[in-house]
Amino acid sequence: GPTTTPCDQCEMCQAFMSGDDTDVLEIDGASNRGIDEVREIRANVQYKPQRARCKIYIIDEVHMLTAPAFNALLKTLEEPPSHVKFIFATTEATKIPVTILSRCQRFDFAGIGLAQILDRLRSIVASEGLTADDDALELIARRAAGSMRDAQSLLDQLLAFGGAKLTIDRIHELLGTAHEERVAAVAAAVVERDAKQTLALLAQVVDQGQQLGELLDQLIDYWRDLMVVQCAGLEGQMLSVTAKFRDALKKQAQSLSSETILAGLDVLVNAKNRLKFTSHGRVVVEIALVRMCQLENLVSLSQLAQLLAKDGVPGGSAAAPVSAPSAAVVAGVEKKKVADEGKSPGNTLPLRPENLSAIRQQLLIQAGLTIGSDLRRVA
């Protein structure tokens, strides 16, 4: 009889799970997205189920249906036969017309936890009679980002090419990702503002054939961890960094300001976006890493406006002359107090023509503009 808990043992349950039941029809919305397919569904909904109490239509990736197909389906959704149930599945609900959403009950499913995915992967490996390192399975579970299907698909591909035992080195080799030690070394060089060492490590990554896009993703995860650790600490946080590197991560988070960490995340995300539209991927990554090495040297735009206003130069004035007597604009105002002749001890590098290039570079890096933009426009 009707129940919210199927027994998984009866003939009906077995037929549902094997996909043999004629009253449950699963349709791929990506392949059957036109109005003709929807018209066929409308023609068949009038027939009653053969065995079950309801006839069920499951349309996967329903957001792929065309606008005419949605319009053709709308009438059936407004007045559905009592024996028909529609189940729509999608990963992009925003692409479904509001007229369709308003006629459906919506259920949003959260991602599956890392521990659950990891347990499931372990059981699959054991059932296949194979072995896998825990670090390797954890990396797969993290890359799945809460999707059990993606985790199992990736595990299937890796087991097909990884041999009898799946190791983390083999996974990095097959996926084109950098080892965690290499990512931690790049991050450490950036935090220490050692641009030379950073570029040397990047060259090693490129020489080993690892993908620059994957490296950027790993660095974005690392900087996200820095942000989380600085704001909320290590305990109880979901981090991409394994326990081996968490002490170093904590020290790095404490040594950086929150503005520097957030600015680093912005640089990495922008580099990832730019990587899609350029054939000079290495240059894009090099620029991003060198900029991150210089973040501690930058003065924020708000601080710069305050400094200019303090010395009588309006912060919003676009016509301020470049030779105006001015305030301190230099890397690390709090750290480097360079007294200027004839100025107060609090002033550092004055806004003079000979200093204009360094000031412009700081502004352009933070504003995300191209080199050569007019300083007055930036101000």
Side-chain angles (χ1 to χ4, degrees):
T3 175
T4 57
T5 306
C7 65
D8 295 337
Q9 303 298 327
C10 67
E11 182 184 358
M12 295 292 290
C13 286
Q14 294 290 335
F16 288 154
M17 289 189 292
S18 62
D20 296 331
D21 195 278
T22 57
D23 293 327
V24 179
L25 296 92
E26 184 173 357
I27 302 168
D28 180 15
S31 304
N32 304 275
R33 58 194 305 264
I35 190 171
D36 292 336
E37 289 81 358
V38 174
R39 284 173 176 166
E40 183 178 351
I41 294 175
R42 290 180 55 189
N44 292 331
V45 295
Q46 58 182 319
Y47 301 112
K48 292 186 176 296
Q50 298 181 15
R51 296 193 306 164
R53 292 180 297 110
C54 296
K55 179 180 287 188
I56 301 173
Y57 289 89
I58 304 173
I59 303 181
D60 192 16
E61 302 294 345
V62 69
H63 64 273
M64 296 295 291
L65 295 184
T66 63
F70 275 124
N71 291 334
L73 190 61
L74 187 59
K75 183 64 176 177
T76 303
L77 296 181
E78 288 177 339
E79 300 175 1
S82 58
H83 60 271
V84 173
K85 304 292 182 186
F86 285 96
I87 298 176
F88 299 149
T90 180
T91 53
E92 301 183 51
T94 55
K95 293 185 178 181
I96 300 177
V98 177
T99 52
I100 300 294
L101 287 176
S102 63
R103 289 162 174 80
C104 299
Q105 288 182 315
R106 176 171 172 171
F107 301 91
D108 291 303
F109 298 103
I112 301 175
L114 179 66
Q116 292 177 283
I117 295 179
L118 196 54
D119 289 340
R120 181 58 180 160
L121 295 182
R122 287 195 187 103
S123 66
I124 292 175
V125 171
S127 65
E128 294 292 329
L130 302 173
T131 58
D133 294 341
D134 281 345
D135 290 344
L137 295 180
E138 183 176 350
L139 178 59
I140 296 173
R142 291 186 186 280
R143 287 182 64 88
S147 172
M148 184 69 77
R149 178 181 62 181
D150 291 348
Q152 293 181 2
S153 299
L154 182 57
L155 177 64
D156 183 37
Q157 296 172 27
L158 294 173
L159 289 176
F161 297 99
K165 183 176 182 180
L166 191 61
T167 64
I168 194 166
D169 291 339
R170 187 62 173 157
I171 290 180
H172 285 306
E173 181 182 348
L174 293 172
L175 297 181
T177 54
H179 287 264
E180 192 174 23
E181 290 83 358
R182 183 60 51 80
V183 176
V186 173
V190 171
V191 171
E192 294 169 3
R193 295 188 286 173
D194 189 345
K196 180 179 179 181
Q197 177 66 8
T198 302
L199 293 179
L201 291 171
L202 178 62
Q204 294 178 16
V205 171
V206 175
D207 291 342
Q208 292 175 0
Q210 294 162 354
Q211 301 298 315
L212 291 175
E214 295 287 350
L215 176 64
L216 282 178
D217 286 337
Q218 291 173 280
L219 288 173
I220 289 172
D221 290 338
Y222 194 97
W223 250 255
R224 179 260 176 193
D225 291 345
L226 286 174
M227 177 185 66
V228 170
V229 170
Q230 188 186 73
C231 296
L234 281 172
E235 299 300 327
Q237 304 301 324
M238 292 294 296
L239 303 177
S240 63
V241 176
T242 59
K244 179 180 178 182
F245 296 96
R246 291 190 177 181
D247 289 339
L249 180 76
K250 183 177 181 181
K251 293 178 180 178
Q252 292 170 352
Q254 293 172 346
S255 67
L256 298 173
S257 65
S258 58
E259 291 82 2
T260 301
I261 294 175
L262 294 175
L265 268 174
D266 283 337
V267 171
L268 289 171
V269 171
N270 289 334
K272 177 66 175 179
N273 293 332
R274 292 173 61 189
L275 202 62
K276 304 174 184 177
F277 307 104
T278 181
S279 58
H280 304 286
R282 179 170 179 171
V283 178
V284 170
V285 179
E286 288 175 339
I287 292 173
L289 294 179
V290 172
R291 281 183 174 175
M292 292 175 67
C293 291
Q294 300 175 353
L295 288 178
E296 287 284 355
N297 295 335
L298 302 181
V299 180
S300 68
L301 293 176
S302 60
Q303 290 175 327
L304 181 61
Q306 293 173 3
L307 290 171
L308 292 174
K310 186 188 302 182
D311 282 70
V313 181
S317 175
V322 296
S323 59
S326 65
V329 184
V330 73
V333 173
E334 297 81 6
K335 299 179 180 178
K336 299 179 181 179
K337 297 294 184 180
V338 182
D340 183 61
E341 293 183 5
K343 302 289 191 246
S344 63
N347 286 343
T348 55
L349 187 64
L351 185 59
R352 292 176 177 172
E354 59 268 22
N355 302 326
L356 188 58
S357 177
I359 296 170
R360 182 191 292 120
Q361 184 178 7
Q362 294 178 19
L363 286 170
L364 294 178
I365 291 175
Q366 294 193 51
L369 303 177
T370 57
I371 300 298
S373 296
D374 193 297
L375 177 61
R376 297 180 183 178
R377 291 173 56 195
V378 176

